[in-house]
Amino acid sequence: MKISVVKNIMEANQRIAEENRRRFQEHALMVINLMSSPGAGKTTLLEKTISLLKDDYKVGVVEGDIQSTYDAERIGRTGAPVVQINTGGACHLDSNMVQEALKNLEFQNLNLLFIENVGNLVCPAEFALGEDFKAMILSVAEGDDKPLKYPLMFRESSVLLINKIDLLPFCDCQPDLIEERALKINPRLTIFRVSCRTGEGLSRWTDWLRQRLPPRSRGKNSSEP
Amino acid sequence: MKISVVKNIMEANQRIAEENRRRFQEHALMVINLMSSPGAGKTTLLEKTISLLKDDYKVGVVEGDIQSTYDAERIGRTGAPVVQINTGGACHLDSNMVQEALKNLEFQNLNLLFIENVGNLVCPAEFALGEDFKAMILSVAEGDDKPLKYPLMFRESSVLLINKIDLLPFCDCQPDLIEERALKINPRLTIFRVSCRTGEGLSRWTDWLRQRLPPRSRGKNSSEP
């Protein structure tokens, strides 16, 4: 008998991710799996994005952390519905954790759901969650060599947000090099340079989201016919 | 029959780590397992540390990366002996990888060996390599909430280097909060605030190393009796 444990784990993850995806599609819900190193700015990006979209769309968040509810509390203060997953040590989210989390979130009423993954530039890229798009953030403080050293996440992502560009004058980081190296790995990557702190560049990112949100879902909860 | 795969993996790792440790001790070699998020400044810290210590000690490096030899090339330019481990996808080093790497490094002549782990604030903390000390770097650009969200590495480390303090005027990060939160998790943690870019604070870190290096190993390769 041939046993391949790793393959089975990944297959089970893929199967549950497809179940999640079908449920999201039933409700015309766009889902983004947001990944980055610790401290690259995932939660701040979500705070700002929610604020820019909330007049037109209902946005919810699944927060993934090893422990604590610190990030979910930050999101909760924006008024967006949020549920926290504590992985209890695991360094990434998997599709089953997300399926469990959905029991505690009224995602049926949402237009856009962000799943904020555990801060880790390596493992999250390997696990599909049922998302429409993977998006990643790289802070310029991390340096321009990251695509060379952590290529998988750049390959898997549809969007790269180069964040903290307000720090560029004080860092030895060339954003052109990040773009060049990232596009060599993944020529279809859409790249935005942003500062979640100052707000610079964020409207181009939210325009990208608006273009992809199902037009009919706009004003889903509006009282107008 | 009771099978516990995870326990066996961790036990095997521990056993090989002890073998590594015995070999290091035979040669009076101090070994530091250096961990951090991607881009917190591990390789730059090593470049600067080697430069500050090289007149008195022989320092070598084991470089851990998922792929590429970019960091090993940087270390090689300092003149220090270096060997690169490519984990091929794995998000942390384990003791067996280090044992293999030692075959390609003349560590018997060294006083101090740094093992630069894969950039990841989660998984490396779980795997002993045979080191004397674990040291971790946190960049102030990552934010002051990291001890709350990634406590294991703070708990396992003997030293915390708070790096990139030259960016403090431009970040929403309070280093006092990092220290307070880290010390609550691990009261025995030794903390240094440094800027590997400007060199600020690095002599306190190298003093800490000098105090712990075996005095007799000083000038190990000296021609004097």
Side-chain angles (χ1 to χ4, degrees), chain B residues 4-225:
Chain B
S4 173
V5 175
V6 170
K7 194 176 165 213
N8 287 351
I9 288 172
M10 296 311 276
E11 276 175 3
N13 186 74
Q14 196 63 41
R15 182 175 51 73
I16 297 171
E18 291 306 324
E19 289 174 17
N20 292 346
R21 192 186 311 274
R22 275 194 298 276
R23 294 179 71 192
F24 297 145
Q25 284 173 348
E26 276 170 26
H27 299 282
L29 174 58
M30 188 164 103
V31 179
I32 296 188
N33 177 1
L34 183 62
M35 308 179 290
S36 81
S37 298
K42 293 185 292 305
T43 312
T44 309
L45 178 77
L46 292 186
E47 289 172 328
K48 296 294 175 93
T49 303
I50 289 165
S51 155
L52 288 166
L53 292 179
K54 68 180 175 189
D55 289 343
D56 301 312
Y57 300 100
K58 288 192 71 89
V59 185
V61 177
V62 173
E63 273 295 336
D65 280 298
I66 291 168
Q67 65 178 60
S68 87
T69 54
Y70 193 80
D71 287 350
E73 288 161 25
R74 286 176 60 189
I75 297 298
R77 287 193 281 275
T78 69
V82 58
V83 59
Q84 176 85 49
I85 297 174
N86 277 164
T87 66
C91 59
H92 61 271
L93 296 180
D94 64 32
S95 55
N96 193 49
M97 295 178 196
V98 172
Q99 193 163 73
E100 286 297 312
L102 293 178
K103 294 177 183 168
N104 296 299
L105 187 74
E106 296 196 353
F107 66 94
Q108 296 83 350
N109 298 325
L110 301 175
N111 307 123
L112 174 59
L113 176 68
F114 286 103
I115 304 174
E116 183 180 330
N117 222 306
V118 177
N120 182 337
L121 206 55
V122 186
C123 315
E126 296 183 42
F127 291 82
L129 306 179
E131 70 278 342
D132 294 293
F133 301 104
K134 290 185 170 80
M136 68 172 291
I137 308 180
L138 185 75
S139 149
V140 300
E142 294 176 69
D144 50 36
D145 59 345
K146 293 300 158 293
L148 301 173
K149 293 166 63 184
Y150 304 88
L152 183 65
M153 194 167 286
F154 292 85
R155 193 173 298 130
E156 289 287 320
S157 294
S158 300
V159 175
L160 164 62
L161 294 127
I162 301 176
N163 189 23
K164 309 198 187 183
I165 56 169
D166 54 302
L167 294 181
L168 276 174
F170 318 108
C171 292
D172 303 314
C173 174
Q174 298 179 52
D176 289 346
L177 261 186
I178 296 175
E179 296 205 3
E180 182 189 318
R181 289 165 171 172
L183 288 169
K184 195 175 263 182
I185 293 164
N186 179 1
R188 293 176 307 171
L189 197 57
T190 300
I191 303 177
F192 301 103
R193 297 186 189 189
V194 302
S195 166
C196 291
R197 192 169 189 240
T198 68
E200 191 180 343
L202 285 176
S203 62
R204 285 192 291 273
W205 152 246
T206 51
D207 284 348
W208 187 93
L209 292 169
R210 287 172 188 274
Q211 286 159 15
R212 277 150 190 86
L213 278 159
R216 287 229 172 65
S217 71
R218 189 162 178 152
K220 198 190 233 185
N221 288 2
S222 157
S223 57
E224 289 171 34

Side-chain angles (χ1 to χ4, degrees), chain A residues 141-178:
Chain A
E142 295 176 68
D144 49 36
D145 58 346
K146 294 299 159 292
L148 301 173
K149 293 166 63 184
Y150 304 88
L152 183 65
M153 193 167 286
F154 292 85
R155 193 173 297 130
E156 290 286 320
S157 294
S158 301
V159 175
L160 164 63
L161 293 127
I162 301 176
N163 190 23
K164 309 197 186 184
I165 56 169
D166 53 303
L167 294 182
L168 276 174
F170 318 109
C171 293
D172 303 313
C173 174
Q174 297 179 54
D176 289 346
L177 260 186
I178 297 175

